[in-house]
Amino acid sequence: MFGGDLNSGSPVPRRIQSAAQYPHDKCVHELFDDQAQATPDRIAVTCQGKSITHRELRECASRLAISLRRRGVRADELVGICVDRSIEMVAGMLGIL
């Protein structure tokens, strides 16, 4: 996992040392949902001085997922995303998954 200030301008992110165990039989969006249920009011993402909780991020990603389904997007279809690094980018990636 990489981390650091997204706006630092450094092309090489610093490496975060993490030994966290996680179930390898779950997808990223399922792991996120588990975390959002366990800690809904904790900060999930901070970017450009803004923060969003797990609950808020989950709600935003869910709204996008519902919108995509209503527009006919089905499982295993490719959906592109082209945005600057932001909270919305993270919500978009989760909503697409």
Side-chain angles (χ1 to χ4, degrees), residues 16-82:
I16 295 175
Q17 298 300 317
S18 175
Q21 297 296 316
Y22 62 92
H24 294 277
D25 61 337
K26 289 191 172 187
C27 297
V28 171
H29 66 283
E30 294 170 321
L31 293 170
F32 173 76
D33 278 342
D34 292 348
Q35 187 64 42
Q37 288 177 349
T39 59
D41 298 319
R42 292 196 59 191
I43 299 298
V45 178
T46 298
C47 183
Q48 299 176 346
K50 299 178 190 175
S51 296
I52 188 170
T53 65
H54 286 107
R55 178 190 332 267
E56 294 165 330
L57 184 56
R58 185 178 187 200
E59 290 169 356
C60 187
S62 292
R63 282 193 305 271
L64 175 60
I66 290 166
S67 176
L68 290 170
R69 279 188 231 117
R70 286 184 180 153
R71 293 170 191 244
V73 176
R74 302 280 179 238
D76 297 325
E77 285 191 66
L78 294 178
V79 175
I81 182 169
C82 182

Side-chain angles (χ1 to χ4, degrees), residues 74-93:
R74 302 280 179 238
D76 297 325
E77 285 191 66
L78 294 178
V79 175
I81 182 169
C82 182
V83 295
D84 291 328
R85 290 180 179 180
S86 63
I87 290 173
E88 292 79 10
M89 177 193 74
V90 177
M93 290 189 307

